[in-house]
Amino acid sequence: MAAIIQFTSAPDHKNDGMIYSVTDGNIKALKNQIPDAAYKRIETLHKKGADGFDGKQGNVCSFSMDNGSGLTWYVFFGLAKDSTAVDLEKAGGKLYAHCAGLKMTEVSLAGMSNEQDGLSIANGFYLGSYEFNKYKTKNLDKLNKTITLTVVVDDKAKAEKNFKRMKTLSDAVFMARDFVSEPPNTLYPASYVDMIKKTLKKTDVKITVFDEKKLERMGAGALLAVGKGSECKPRLVIFEYDGRVKKDKGEKPLAVVGKGVPYDTGGYSLKPRDAMSTMKMDMGGSAAVVGAIKALAENKVEKYVVGAIALAENMIAANAYRVDDVVVSLSGQTIEVINTDAEGRLCLADALTYIQNKYDPKAVVDAATLTGACMAALGLDMAGVFSNAKSLETFFWESGKATGDEFWPLPVNKDFDKQIDSPIADMRNLGLTPFAGASTAAVFLQRFITNDRPWAHLDIAGTAWRKDDSATCPKGASGFGVRAFYHLVENY
């Protein structure tokens, strides 16, 4: 179970554990905050330097002492004076792991001079506590145990109000992690739609769903091609959220679009065995869209945003689409299929066309677990951003400081665009060479952007699923992109 975060204005609040921060190794600041015996002990540990507790950012230590009525744990963690909100969240995540390792159930965070810093630490503590235990049936008593963190603040009501907004966004990240963690036999296009409707039921988000019959009438041939081989037929889901108090009819919305392939075998361009594992995460872009819109609506952010997610399973069957097929997209442009495992861009093509035709948005940003090439270039902790607008490229490059979702700009240009020309169709779904696959995928998507509108493509293939634990996310689904999209809508 996720951690419980609460606040108190009582400075002498005590639990079975007390947490204190140390800034830039300044142990002396603790002298009037903790008992003399505890101070002498942490001072001794500090003198040992790297072998003890140096008080530098990322360093955590703890010890227990008898306070007369039982043992109290003292936990200390280091911060830098210039720590960002993301740094503080990472510290909070490390504190959660430390406290969980000590099997603590109630802890207090005291002595934070900056109340907002305390909220960020609490939020990281909360983010780091995520677990996906839905399908476990044994040892439920242990699985259901949680840690309560009480943060000592000056203004309890203000802290609770501010943290509620932060927690709403973190809960949206949890929801995205849940969706991505669901096994493909329970999460497929139709069931995914039901889950989305349930989670957005009490919000002001308008949802429109196009099933396979409606998609056929629309002419969404690219999305339909990807889903042909599955018994679970494709869906296109459209979201509209307008939180503006004063509505200007001339104001255009911002559009966010996500790839939603609940399972990707690669189709007839079959993935190798090891690459098939975790392909349930190939709908991570769609989960980011849903999570961001949910948080925006629940926090009543005064912005106008529309979203689209294209859902299709990429399976093998007698009627599955093949290499050498030519499909007609919703835009009317034709696509020669060179590789059936380059399916995400086909799904996105029709979603991008629909959202632009329907809403004429001021800008479009899509997120997709699109290419292994982006993973090869940037690794597993940073996503790629491709854009026709320097402002959007720069926004995502810099946004990681606020969101923790980090991006690095990669190129789209005419040379890459030439690589997807086809001799028999308007374009091919794979570049002519095996190189720069992330950029050729991006220019493919760019061909579906109309009216020279600002556009950015986020390739989150390496970041949607963690292969190991981070401070604020256990191994598995990360919910990457939820906070990035939320930050975009708030600030663009």
Side-chain angles (χ1 to χ4, degrees):
M1 290 180 65
I4 297 170
I5 310 296
Q6 60 186 26
F7 300 89
T8 182
S9 297
D12 58 346
H13 183 84
K14 296 241 183 331
N15 285 316
D16 57 356
M18 302 294 294
I19 301 173
Y20 298 92
S21 66
V22 175
T23 302
D24 291 336
N26 183 17
I27 293 292
K28 291 182 179 179
L30 295 170
K31 192 167 182 63
N32 297 322
Q33 295 185 51
I34 59 178
D36 289 342
Y39 179 75
K40 288 179 182 178
R41 190 159 174 184
I42 191 63
E43 188 178 39
T44 300
L45 288 170
H46 183 250
K47 288 177 180 178
K48 292 182 179 180
D51 294 327
F53 176 68
D54 62 12
K56 300 295 177 63
Q57 186 164 299
N59 197 204
V60 181
C61 83
S62 61
F63 52 79
S64 61
M65 297 189 73
D66 192 338
N67 61 12
S69 58
L71 290 177
T72 296
W73 279 100
Y74 290 90
V75 181
F76 303 90
F77 68 102
L79 291 175
K81 187 177 182 179
D82 59 353
S83 291
T84 66
V86 172
D87 292 333
L88 293 164
E89 287 179 344
K90 289 178 180 178
K94 287 183 178 180
L95 285 170
Y96 174 80
H98 192 87
C99 293
L102 295 174
K103 297 184 174 12
M104 300 168 73
T105 57
E106 294 184 31
V107 294
S108 292
L109 172 63
M112 296 299 300
S113 57
N114 185 315
E115 191 166 284
Q116 187 59 43
D117 288 354
L119 298 186
S120 294
I121 290 167
N123 196 43
F125 195 95
Y126 184 68
L127 283 166
S129 70
Y130 174 83
E131 292 180 318
F132 186 76
N133 294 324
K134 182 177 177 180
Y135 294 101
K136 292 189 176 182
T137 62
K138 298 179 180 179
N139 300 317
L140 295 182
D141 55 333
K142 292 182 179 180
L143 295 176
N144 290 330
K145 285 185 177 179
T146 189
I147 303 175
T148 298
L149 172 67
T150 302
V151 184
V152 180
V153 294
D154 292 331
D155 189 332
K156 181 173 180 286
K158 180 182 176 183
E160 287 175 340
K161 180 181 178 181
N162 290 338
F163 187 74
K164 183 179 179 181
R165 291 184 66 84
M166 298 172 73
K167 183 177 179 294
T168 294
L169 181 53
S170 295
D171 284 337
V173 172
F174 284 6
M175 184 212 68
R177 291 177 184 176
D178 284 348
F179 283 163
V180 177
S181 299
E182 280 286 341
N185 60 317
T186 63
L187 190 145
Y188 43 88
S191 68
Y192 190 12
V193 169
D194 290 339
M195 293 177 193
I196 291 168
K197 286 181 176 179
K198 183 177 180 180
T199 196
L200 296 179
K201 185 177 181 180
K202 295 182 180 180
T203 69
D204 294 329
V205 179
K206 178 184 176 182
I207 302 174
T208 304
V209 181
F210 297 97
D211 62 17
E212 69 274 18
K213 292 181 181 178
K214 292 178 182 177
L215 292 171
E216 287 172 3
R217 289 196 293 269
M218 289 165 54
L223 176 57
L224 286 165
V226 174
K228 278 177 65 178
S230 175
E231 292 184 356
C232 305
K233 298 306 177 186
R235 299 287 188 271
L236 178 64
V237 187
I238 306 300
F239 307 91
E240 184 174 353
Y241 168 70
D242 191 348
R244 297 172 299 172
V245 176
K246 295 181 179 179
K247 293 180 171 54
D248 178 357
K249 291 184 178 180
E251 183 181 353
K252 297 178 180 181
L254 178 66
V256 290
V257 179
K259 169 189 172 184
V261 177
Y263 200 75
D264 181 20
T265 68
Y268 278 111
S269 302
L270 188 66
K271 291 180 183 291
R273 179 191 64 187
D274 291 343
M276 194 89 69
S277 177
T278 73
M279 275 300 101
K280 65 180 184 178
M281 53 73 72
D282 213 12
M283 38 64 69
S286 69
V289 168
V290 180
I293 289 177
K294 174 182 169 67
L296 289 162
E298 291 186 344
N299 277 339
K300 300 188 183 304
V301 175
E302 295 179 15
K303 295 288 185 175
Y304 182 24
V305 61
V306 293
I309 58 173
L311 312 180
E313 285 190 337
N314 190 18
M315 306 293 282
I316 294 175
N319 65 329
Y321 82 128
R322 298 152 295 202
V323 173
D324 288 340
D325 281 358
V326 172
V327 301
V328 183
S329 69
L330 180 60
S331 71
Q333 298 180 89
T334 55
I335 305 163
E336 180 187 8
V337 178
I338 304 301
N339 188 315
T340 62
D341 196 23
E343 87 297 333
R345 64 201 71 181
L346 299 180
C347 298
L348 286 171
D350 284 350
L352 288 168
T353 295
Y354 181 88
I355 208 77
Q356 291 174 96
N357 289 348
K358 175 69 175 178
Y359 297 101
D360 189 25
K362 61 183 179 182
V364 180
V365 180
D366 71 78
T369 49
L370 209 63
T371 67
C374 193
M375 297 168 64
L378 299 178
L380 304 179
D381 295 309
M382 186 174 289
V385 54
F386 307 76
S387 183
N388 63 2
K390 194 67 178 179
S391 60
L392 274 175
E393 179 186 278
T394 302
F395 180 90
F396 281 102
W397 189 11
E398 295 179 345
S399 69
K401 299 172 186 176
T403 68
D405 288 349
E406 294 194 61
F407 297 90
W408 193 265
L410 291 173
V412 284
N413 58 39
K414 291 180 180 179
D415 291 331
F416 292 126
D417 188 71
K418 289 178 183 177
Q419 288 199 38
I420 62 168
D421 285 338
S422 165
I424 66 167
D426 294 325
M427 69 193 84
R428 44 189 281 152
N429 76 330
L430 205 66
L432 285 169
T433 71
F435 309 112
S439 288
T440 54
V443 295
F444 177 95
L445 297 174
Q446 189 174 19
R447 288 200 181 189
F448 295 89
I449 301 302
T450 60
N451 300 329
D452 295 321
R453 79 182 78 240
W455 156 81
H457 160 59
L458 313 178
D459 193 330
I460 63 172
T463 56
W465 186 269
R466 292 203 58 85
K467 295 186 181 298
D468 55 11
D469 294 342
S470 75
T472 55
C473 181
K475 177 182 177 180
S478 67
F480 188 99
V482 173
R483 286 162 49 123
F485 272 147
Y486 185 95
H487 187 64
L488 172 72
V489 174
E490 269 201 321
N491 295 283
Y492 186 76

